[in-house]
Amino acid sequence: MPVRADRNALDLLDAHLEALGDGADLPLPRGLAEPADGASEELVRWALDRLRHIPREPEDSFGLRVGGLLREVRTRRCPWNAAALRLLEDVYTFAATGPRRHEDWAHDVLAVLHRSVQDPRGWVSLDWDRRNDARPIGSAYPFAPPAASDFPGRLYPLEAQAAVGALAVMAEEWQAEPAPVRTRPDRAAVVADARTLLSRFGSAAGYWTNATAAASDPAVDFIAAGLQGTRSHTFITSEYVKGLDLLEDLGLIAVTDDEVGVFWSFGAY
């Protein structure tokens, strides 16, 4: 699908690099032909120069190098992107933000889970299953989310500090984690990245989780428990697709008047 030309230069660049990395053969969008002056356009020009020097063959190598360039662009674009990539890129997670359009924000969360909306600020979304062959079983894969009316029975409110801990612990693996966040020498940096991600939602944000421990304690310490000590109401599919069985999940939802942020960690076998 051609990249729309009515978006700002950085959004166009991100979409173009993502499409190239996915194997598409697309011409350069018109909006990238002559970037204007400014800090963001300087990043665009730098990336386009790097792109011109990546050999097109072999195809696999080209895709990998474009993917590396895309990661560098996203990291340089803003501190929020950099924190998201450092914290969550190497584990099986989903992280995306969408606009708040409904009084009942569950409908906005569902739109994020079904990938029917984009980040209002054009910042990075992390989605392992964006191109998964399992997606035909549902646009929300690996989620099988409940109806909006069922959200209150599966979610519990969290205090802001507990929300930071829930997000930080998503840097762990569910199965055989060798270094839980609580034991890591860079624990403070991990927590700082989680705090950076939630800072975009402001001090008035509300937080919810599907973790059952929060039912009795909105200030639950997720880092102390670790992922392996966390139980939750599931939002994930029970479908067994191509040998991948989803076993556990931990979710965090941030809600403001303007946005909803959805962060989810999956345990799979």
Side-chain angles (χ1 to χ4, degrees), residues 84 87-95 126-129 142-143 167 170-172 174 227 250 263-266:
L87 185 67
L88 300 176
E89 186 181 40
D90 292 331
V91 286
Y92 189 5
T93 53
F94 174 89
L126 302 179
D127 184 1
W128 271 38
D129 296 290
F143 298 99
L167 186 52
M170 292 184 193
E172 297 181 11
W174 284 90
L227 278 184
L250 171 64
F263 305 90
W264 228 270
S265 173
F266 310 101

Side-chain angles (χ1 to χ4, degrees), residues 1 15-27 56-67 70 130-131:
M1 178 182 295
H16 184 63
L17 292 178
E18 187 172 80
L20 292 179
D22 287 346
D25 184 12
L26 296 174
R56 291 277 175 162
E57 299 293 340
E59 187 175 333
D60 289 348
S61 176
F62 175 73
L64 288 173
R65 294 184 67 179
V66 169
L70 175 59
R130 179 175 53 85
R131 298 182 67 233

